[in-house]
Amino acid sequence: MAYFHVYILSIIFSLILLSNGVFHEEISDIQAMNLRSQKTSHLHFYFHDIQGGKHPSAIKIVSPGGGGIYGFGKTFMCDDALTIGPNASSEVIGRAQGIYAMASQSEPVLLMTMIFEFTQGKYNGSSISILGRNPFMRDVREMPIVGGTGLFRFARGYALAHTFWFDVNTGDAIVEYNVFVQHY
């Protein structure tokens, strides 16, 4: 019986809010999202992280002294090309913009805070956000998708990263990404 009273009170409260126009737009947006079906999209692209040469796409912004064998604390800012193929001449479909840093004192692990912004195709103007741990010496790494914009609003999912090519002298890398993102 108490549950019924709480239920009735919540309905009355909702009607009062709706009748006054308070939060009406927000509630309508949520209801509209619930009416649409959720989709899962698979994205495949290559991330070109270039630290060497005259025009690097990633630069070191923090380099603490005595960073240990793995460079604990080294931090990089990037604005990397996302392409449909592994070659630098492949069509650019977006940019990876963000920060990655050496986050472990005992193993090669990056903390990735990254936005993948898409500038071509059906996802043009949309982005996904990744925040996670990247043990980059492993063959395949999994990182969570924590949000998105545009067509990826309310996104969630995961990204699988695989190093396609790495130059130990310059730090340049091409990373293949397979991304599985749920969105409306």
Side-chain angles (χ1 to χ4, degrees):
M1 191 64 149
Y3 173 75
F4 180 75
H5 291 294
V6 170
Y7 179 71
I8 295 297
L9 286 173
S10 67
I11 290 174
I12 292 169
F13 181 73
S14 295
L15 289 174
I16 290 169
L17 287 177
L18 288 174
S19 66
N20 291 331
V22 179
F23 301 117
H24 179 69
E25 183 178 325
E26 289 85 356
I27 291 171
S28 295
D29 287 346
I30 292 169
Q31 290 169 340
M33 284 297 196
N34 288 333
L35 293 176
R36 291 189 273 173
S37 62
Q38 193 172 44
K39 304 176 226 177
T40 299
S41 295
H42 173 216
L43 309 173
H44 179 254
F45 50 84
Y46 292 84
F47 170 103
H48 295 259
D49 193 60
I50 308 302
Q51 295 179 16
K54 291 183 180 185
H55 302 287
S57 63
I59 60 169
K60 190 182 320 173
I61 57 174
V62 176
S63 184
I69 190 168
Y70 296 111
F72 177 65
K74 285 185 184 174
T75 305
F76 297 81
M77 177 69 71
C78 74
D79 184 9
D80 295 336
L82 300 177
T83 64
I84 59 172
N87 298 324
S89 61
S90 295
E91 179 185 356
V92 176
I93 58 166
R95 307 295 301 176
Q97 298 168 328
I99 297 174
Y100 57 90
M102 296 299 291
S104 175
Q105 295 183 58
S106 60
E107 60 181 315
V109 172
L110 295 171
L111 165 65
M112 303 283 288
T113 304
M114 200 70 56
I115 305 295
F116 291 161
E117 176 191 27
F118 299 99
T119 58
Q120 301 294 321
K122 75 180 197 178
Y123 302 120
N124 183 18
S126 299
S127 68
I128 56 175
S129 301
I130 293 178
L131 173 64
R133 185 176 192 269
N134 182 352
F136 61 90
M137 294 301 282
R138 292 186 189 162
D139 185 39
V140 177
R141 292 87 66 193
E142 181 177 336
M143 292 168 281
I145 295 169
V146 297
T149 65
L151 292 175
F152 296 126
R153 190 173 294 135
F154 293 112
R156 61 190 173 135
Y158 64 98
L160 298 175
H162 164 74
T163 302
F164 180 81
W165 174 80
F166 177 71
D167 184 330
V168 71
N169 295 317
T170 64
D172 295 353
I174 299 172
V175 181
E176 178 181 25
Y177 273 87
N178 277 288
V179 176
F180 299 88
V181 58
Q182 292 181 335
H183 57 99
Y184 291 94

